[in-house]
Amino acid sequence: MYPSDANIVGIYEHPTRKADGISLAQLHADVAKGAVEDAGLSLSDVDGYFCGADAPGIGAMTMAQYMGLDLRYTDSTETGGSSYIGHVHHAALAIAAGKCDVALITCADNQVASRKFIGLGGVDWRGAPEQPFEDGYYFGPAALYGMVAQRHMHEFGTTAEQMAWVKVAASHHAQHNPNALLRDVVTVEDVISSPIVASPLHRLDCCVMSDGGGAVVLARPEIAKNLKRPNVRLRGAGEAVKHNAGGKIDLSYSAGRESSRSAFAEAGVTPADIRYASLYDSFTITVIMQLEDLGFCEKGEGGRFVADGNLISGVGKLPFNTDGGGLCNNHPGNRGGITKLLEAVRQLRGEAHPAVQVPDCSLAVAHGTGGSLAGYHGSATAILERV
């Protein structure tokens, strides 16, 4: 099985949240350098490179030239925020097939500093078949996720207070992260008294927008075992796409239902075995949906599952996003998948902040969503294990 043929050996997160004076290419290069150095390698060791549409120019080709990479394999798969968890999957497959020995994955953006339209970094929607039908009725991400939240409330009785607990948990973790955009601990009352953005979502139900980025390095086990960093093995992975089904879309579930099913089956473990969860948190409802779809609770029980601090490290039974996540820490280019990988690896290495480190964290899940839960989207799930 391929997972035994690839270890995550290096990670790096850019400390900036507003990249004034830093080009997009430089951000990618900065995080790449940081990750290979964390692994005890150099850019000259990289022979596989993976990126999404956030990479400038012609993606992998442009960045290979900019960083001087001598590559045998490239992959520019684009599935929005889930791209980078999918890239870990693809990199592991490439390493197992002998296509590369050391794989580098980068994500970065500078939309905030450059004052560009804050959309999905690097994606040009012109020519998308739905655009002529939707351009006259523009609705942003908050409106789309507000529809999902409304449906969840209608179907399952989920409350605004329950959704608020997701933000509360994230804020408890972010207070320990010096780079987090929002470090103040908030209460349920703080969340539900913040202004409505798209009913029923309040401002504090929404993620931050930031610059920065991160990178991950995977290597063949023969290389990984000779490095001084703790190794993290990809034990199982899965990807899936859900679309509008010709207008007959069911908003009660996401593509994560299928991607996680594949990942857990391949890993040979169950959600009950997971010690830590990195979950995409573009909005509070996103986390509730993923907890259900990944099997941590039954469908419709997500609101009750997150209530009363159940996601807070050291308090609840399933610590999540202990760096503060997209809700409080960062969300470079509106792409949260890379940061989910980074904190999962920190937890498995025992390198998370001591206040939020999960004791004996041996098995974690990193899950990403790209696109919109109210429309077509992709999901990627990775089960990671401490070696």
Side-chain angles (χ1 to χ4, degrees):
M1 294 292 286
Y2 80 84
S4 61
D5 291 326
N7 289 341
I8 294 177
V9 296
I11 59 169
Y12 183 78
E13 181 177 349
H14 206 290
T16 190
R17 299 297 180 260
K18 186 181 181 185
D20 288 319
I22 310 176
S23 72
L24 183 54
Q26 187 62 53
L27 283 171
H28 279 271
D30 286 347
V31 297
K33 182 175 182 289
V36 295
E37 289 180 349
D38 180 63
L41 297 167
S42 68
L43 288 173
S44 63
D45 295 306
V46 174
D47 59 352
Y49 178 61
F50 299 73
C51 63
D54 57 294
I58 315 177
M61 288 190 288
T62 297
M63 289 310 303
Q65 172 176 266
Y66 188 79
M67 295 190 287
L69 302 178
D70 184 10
L71 301 174
R72 295 194 290 137
Y73 193 86
T74 63
D75 183 336
S76 298
T77 297
E78 174 55 53
T79 57
S82 62
S83 299
Y84 316 95
I85 296 172
H87 290 160
V88 167
H89 184 195
H90 300 178
L93 292 170
I95 289 172
K99 299 296 184 181
C100 61
D101 296 320
V102 177
L104 168 67
I105 303 165
T106 66
C107 168
D109 210 339
N110 62 353
Q111 287 190 81
V112 176
S114 62
R115 296 182 173 86
K116 293 188 297 185
F117 170 71
I118 305 296
L120 183 59
V123 172
D124 186 349
W125 293 100
R126 291 175 298 180
E130 69 272 18
Q131 287 308 100
F133 302 94
E134 296 181 356
D135 278 349
Y137 307 92
Y138 177 75
F139 39 86
L144 292 167
Y145 279 77
M147 287 167 40
V148 175
Q150 287 280 20
R151 191 65 192 177
H152 209 275
M153 288 178 159
H154 174 76
E155 289 279 346
F156 308 116
T158 307
T159 67
E161 289 79 6
Q162 289 170 340
M163 289 193 295
W165 271 108
V166 178
K167 179 74 167 197
V168 171
S171 74
H172 274 268
H173 299 150
Q175 67 177 314
H176 305 294
N177 183 350
N179 294 320
L181 272 175
L182 304 179
R183 296 188 63 192
D184 292 339
V185 174
V186 300
T187 66
V188 169
E189 179 58 33
D190 290 332
V191 178
I192 62 176
S193 63
S194 64
I196 287 284
V197 174
S199 183
L201 298 178
H202 300 81
R203 183 171 63 197
L204 293 184
D205 284 301
C206 307
C207 68
V208 299
M209 293 185 291
S210 71
D211 292 341
V216 174
V217 176
L218 291 89
R220 186 176 298 285
E222 294 80 8
I223 296 172
K225 69 181 180 181
N226 292 319
L227 302 175
K228 295 181 180 180
R229 303 296 285 134
N231 283 188
V232 172
R233 180 169 74 108
L234 177 63
R235 182 158 171 170
E239 298 173 69
V241 171
K242 182 186 175 192
H243 54 76
N244 291 333
K248 299 179 181 178
I249 188 170
D250 182 347
L251 297 181
S252 69
Y253 74 96
S254 73
R257 186 176 70 177
E258 303 305 323
S259 65
S260 63
R261 183 178 298 166
S262 298
F264 280 110
E266 189 168 69
V269 299
T270 70
D273 298 311
I274 298 297
R275 301 296 306 276
Y276 165 78
S278 272
L279 301 176
Y280 208 89
D281 55 347
S282 48
F283 299 90
T284 53
I285 187 60
T286 317
V287 175
I288 288 174
M289 289 275 286
Q290 287 168 100
L291 287 166
E292 297 170 351
D293 292 342
L294 270 65
F296 289 104
C297 61
E298 294 296 321
K299 177 55 65 178
E301 293 294 320
R304 285 173 281 278
F305 184 91
V306 303
D308 301 319
N310 201 35
L311 300 180
I312 300 174
S313 185
V315 175
K317 66 179 181 180
L318 184 66
F320 102 118
N321 297 9
T322 46
D323 60 342
L327 286 168
C328 294
N329 177 24
N330 69 335
H331 195 212
N334 286 329
R335 295 169 172 274
I338 195 75
T339 54
K340 301 302 168 276
L341 288 165
L342 300 181
E343 187 67 3
V345 172
R346 291 189 196 105
Q347 281 286 352
L348 291 166
R349 286 177 167 184
E351 296 175 354
H353 191 282
V356 298
Q357 176 66 52
V358 176
D360 191 29
C361 187
S362 56
L363 203 62
V365 62
H367 177 79
T369 299
S372 171
L373 294 185
Y376 59 84
H377 63 273
S379 287
T381 310
I383 310 298
L384 304 174
E385 181 179 40
R386 184 181 64 218
V387 177

